[in-house]
Amino acid sequence: MPNLQRSRRVENAKSSLIIIALVTLILIILSQMNFAFVGRYKHFYLQGTINTIVLAFFAVIFGVLLGVIISLMRISQSQVLKIVSASYVEFIRGTPLLVQLYIIYYGLPMIGIRFFDIRLPIIGTIPGDFIAGIVTLSINSAAYVSEIIRAGIQAVDKGQMEASRSLGLTYATSMRYVIFPQALKNILPALGNEFIVVIKESSIVSVIGIADLMYKADTVRTNTFQPFEPLIFAALIYFVLTFGLSKLLGLIEKRMKKSDSSS
Amino acid sequence: MIQVHDLYKQFGKNVVLKGINLDIKQGEVVVIIGPSGSGKSTLLRCLNLIEMPTSGDIIFQGQSILDKKTNINKVREQIGMVFQQFNLFPHMTVLDNITFAPRKLLKISKEEAYQLAVNLLKKINLENKIDAYPNSLSGGQKQRIAIVRALAMNPKVMLFDEPTSALDPEMVGEVLAVMKQLALEGMTMVVVTHEMGFAREVGSRVLFMDEGLILEEGTPQEIFANPKHPRTREFLGKVL
Ligand SMILES: Nc1ncnc2c1ncn2[C@@H]1O[C@H](COP(=O)(O)OP(=O)(O)OP(=O)(O)O)[C@@H](O)[C@H]1O
Ligand SMILES: [Mg+2]
């Protein structure tokens, strides 16, 4: 089919052209900018980056723990647990993260729940605001994690459960030894992806004064009177974080697949 | 061994089984044939409650398996099932596939389990595959292992749902040979199949199902040589 090949070649040429045009445009814009501030404010960016990573890390850890509990509730045989967990997921997914953050940060103290500073070995003191941020991001992430787990379990062929039950094994045993190990292969890559999402979404907590990367970038903007460049630099760091992580996860996944097929 | 009384099963508005009566005796090989969608799989899957009947009763060894007091897991231990799609556990070796259920349920030791697997694999000439994973096996090998996996629980009855339909033609024979051997050893079997040769040779009784009913039953001789029902004749005319 020479015709099809031709049109594919035209498509390829078109997309390369778009990329070249974009890169040129970005280079032109960057050449007009002044990044001299980076030298003076590199500690700002470093501290902000560390805070963002710590925030995302804890949010994912607690998000996964809570997400596992919620997904277990969702696949349980109790109607009550099912409704509670489904409502949780729907509510979290159906409302903006910013609203959730305000509810937790401003709302909870009004009913007497306050966030205190926590002192930890190695890491040091984690301020109360920071805790509120972690709590919000965890609660938010848990809804998505529980969906990831549910989808991972549902993707396992139904015949697996049937075969296991037909041997006389209970539902719980079948879940634990037959379904879950297979579901894990679907779940782990998606969880890595969730970590990337949380890194990006976590930038929202800067609005309550948590000194994450976004907040620090804002500070640099105010101090330098440069409205634009400090943000570009922060975006670059976000991109390096997420792109690097995504490449790393891809590598791990590849390695997992390899050990799988050789076994 | 198994009696089915007036069994109905519906999915939503779709009535798939419309009053099945059946008596399976010890040592019998009951072969179920019939057109696609006639409810053969559904009937088979009701026998170990992988599918829940809408009404009617199923008696296994004198005990209703639909009775709330019956422990269905205990019943299933005694009813082996073989699926069209094999359904081996892909994350377990052949050894673990075979011994997972007996180790969990019969509490046998690791050594006993290993011996059990070796003995079963010898029967199907696949001892050398004991440490292999299912994905490295051919369809015929997978299905033979699925059969011995079910046998590892030492069941009283074996259910087969089109065990050779997913196989390449050259592998059908090896699976049927294992099933035939099993029949010769006196295993009670219920087999849904399109392999009329197997039905004729091994079956003690053939049931013809159509639209949720058993329209005709008899010895293979009676059904194949002298079908009475016009639907049976029509069906056999197409497949033979
Ligand atoms: N889980 C289910 N939910 C809804 N409908 C179902 C389900 N399982 C089977 N059916 C319907 O029940 C009818 C009978 O299906 P069944 O699988 O028992 O037929 P069969 O005789 O085994 O056919 P085949 O030879 O194609 O395997 C079909 O119309 C099918 O669509
Ligand atoms: Mg079927």
Side-chain angles (χ1 to χ4, degrees):
Chain A
M1 291 271 230
N3 219 340
L4 222 133
Q5 257 172 26
R6 216 185 89 96
S7 73
R8 192 167 300 153
R9 214 176 300 148
V10 169
E11 277 307 306
N12 278 342
K14 249 194 227 163
S15 53
S16 346
L17 220 66
I18 292 173
I19 291 172
I20 291 170
L22 267 177
V23 170
T24 323
L25 192 68
I26 289 170
L27 286 179
I28 290 171
I29 294 174
L30 287 182
S31 68
Q32 300 301 307
M33 288 184 182
N34 177 6
F35 283 98
F37 65 89
V38 171
R40 261 186 77 192
Y41 290 99
K42 57 179 181 292
H43 294 297
F44 277 61
Y45 282 107
L46 186 65
Q47 194 55 50
T49 305
I50 289 171
N51 284 347
T52 285
I53 291 174
V54 169
L55 198 64
F57 179 76
F58 281 110
V60 167
I61 296 283
F62 291 120
V64 167
L65 288 179
L66 189 57
V68 167
I69 294 171
I70 291 165
S71 59
L72 287 179
M73 287 166 69
R74 275 203 106 164
I75 57 173
S76 78
Q77 269 125 324
S78 150
Q79 283 306 317
V80 178
L81 291 183
K82 265 188 184 161
I83 291 172
V84 169
S85 53
S87 318
Y88 178 93
V89 171
E90 291 309 323
F91 179 77
I92 295 294
R93 295 205 306 175
T95 53
L97 178 57
L98 185 58
V99 173
Q100 293 162 16
L101 180 67
Y102 280 180
I103 291 176
I104 284 168
Y105 185 68
Y106 296 113
L108 289 189
M110 282 177 65
I111 57 166
I113 301 171
R114 272 164 220 295
F115 298 102
F116 295 107
D117 299 359
I118 294 180
R119 236 175 265 277
L120 284 179
I122 305 169
I123 300 169
T125 306
I126 299 182
D129 291 356
F130 211 89
I131 303 289
I134 290 176
V135 168
T136 307
L137 289 172
S138 304
I139 285 178
N140 182 270
S141 181
Y144 294 92
V145 167
S146 80
E147 282 298 283
I148 288 170
I149 294 174
R150 197 170 70 114
I153 287 173
Q154 264 169 0
V156 177
D157 182 43
K158 268 170 82 182
Q160 292 290 308
M161 178 57 97
E162 290 179 356
S164 182
R165 297 305 306 271
S166 81
L167 289 162
L169 295 156
T170 61
Y171 177 79
T173 307
S174 308
M175 260 307 180
R176 174 152 169 223
Y177 294 99
V178 177
I179 307 300
F180 209 69
Q182 296 184 59
L184 216 53
K185 293 220 172 81
N186 312 325
I187 292 171
L188 284 182
L191 276 188
N193 211 38
E194 176 65 14
F195 193 19
I196 291 173
V197 170
V198 170
I199 287 180
K200 289 187 289 176
E201 302 265 276
S202 71
S203 63
I204 271 195
V205 301
S206 62
V207 302
I208 59 167
I210 294 175
D212 75 335
L213 179 54
M214 182 64 196
Y215 183 90
K216 291 290 194 188
D218 248 345
T219 315
V220 177
R221 281 176 65 204
T222 326
N223 290 1
T224 58
F225 302 107
Q226 278 181 280
F228 198 50
E229 288 90 336
L231 278 181
I232 294 290
F233 193 64
L236 196 72
I237 295 177
Y238 275 116
F239 181 75
V240 168
L241 284 182
T242 56
F243 191 73
L245 194 57
S246 133
K247 285 285 160 233
L248 185 73
L249 290 168
L251 257 166
I252 294 173
E253 212 177 311
K254 219 186 231 165
R255 182 130 341 141
M256 261 173 57
K257 279 221 181 86
K258 225 187 219 162
S259 72
D260 215 42
S261 57
S262 67
S263 59
Chain B
M1 178 159 274
I2 302 180
Q3 285 93 37
V4 178
H5 295 303
D6 211 21
L7 194 72
Y8 280 80
K9 171 66 185 178
Q10 64 192 78
F11 294 105
K13 284 213 172 74
N14 183 12
V15 186
V16 176
L17 298 180
K18 302 171 180 164
I20 300 283
N21 288 289
L22 183 59
D23 186 355
I24 297 158
K25 298 191 184 62
Q26 172 132 27
E28 250 190 327
V29 177
V30 176
V31 177
I32 304 177
I33 61 172
S36 181
S38 56
K40 306 181 297 292
S41 297
T42 307
L43 171 59
L44 206 64
R45 293 155 61 84
C46 281
L47 296 182
N48 64 354
L49 296 197
I50 278 185
E51 214 67 80
M52 206 56 187
T54 310
S55 69
D57 204 359
I58 299 166
I59 314 289
F60 177 66
Q61 297 193 311
Q63 181 191 24
S64 165
I65 64 170
L66 288 162
D67 192 328
K68 290 234 158 36
K69 276 175 259 149
T70 306
N71 180 350
I72 187 59
N73 293 321
K74 284 275 166 248
V75 173
R76 286 188 185 135
E77 287 181 19
Q78 304 177 60
I79 305 180
M81 188 164 205
V82 175
F83 303 83
Q84 185 176 344
Q85 299 298 338
F86 328 129
N87 294 346
L88 289 177
F89 306 134
H91 59 303
M92 296 184 191
T93 61
V94 167
L95 172 68
D96 290 336
N97 262 281
I98 295 172
T99 58
F100 174 55
R103 287 199 62 191
K104 282 269 167 242
L105 299 169
L106 308 178
K107 310 280 180 212
I108 61 175
S109 70
K110 218 173 173 173
E111 291 72 33
E112 286 173 298
Y114 189 83
Q115 202 49 53
L116 174 69
V118 169
N119 290 344
L120 285 166
L121 287 172
K122 269 190 187 142
K123 277 176 76 157
I124 55 172
N125 283 324
L126 288 176
E127 310 101 283
N128 58 335
K129 296 292 184 191
I130 192 158
D131 291 320
Y133 279 85
N135 286 342
S136 67
L137 304 173
S138 74
Q141 292 173 331
K142 281 184 198 168
Q143 193 61 300
R144 286 187 283 151
I145 284 164
I147 292 173
V148 296
R149 174 178 69 177
L151 290 176
M153 287 301 293
N154 200 13
K156 302 263 166 35
V157 188
M158 286 282 285
L159 311 176
F160 296 84
D161 190 359
E162 302 199 27
T164 58
S165 293
L167 296 177
D168 291 339
E170 71 268 21
M171 293 172 183
V172 170
E174 60 191 67
V175 171
L176 290 181
V178 171
M179 292 169 61
K180 189 175 165 189
Q181 181 58 34
L182 202 56
L184 286 176
E185 288 167 14
M187 176 61 78
T188 311
M189 295 164 57
V190 186
V191 185
V192 174
T193 187
H194 293 299
E195 295 294 329
M196 296 304 155
F198 177 86
R200 211 186 296 231
E201 193 184 344
V202 184
S204 22
R205 191 152 46 115
V206 176
L207 310 183
F208 174 70
M209 274 185 79
D210 192 24
E211 299 191 346
L213 285 169
I214 297 174
L215 282 193
E216 186 168 353
E217 65 175 292
T219 62
Q221 185 69 333
E222 288 166 344
I223 298 284
F224 290 114
N226 192 11
K228 293 191 189 65
H229 205 286
R231 295 296 307 234
T232 318
R233 251 176 265 152
E234 189 189 331
F235 175 75
L236 289 175
K238 272 186 210 147
V239 297
L240 286 182

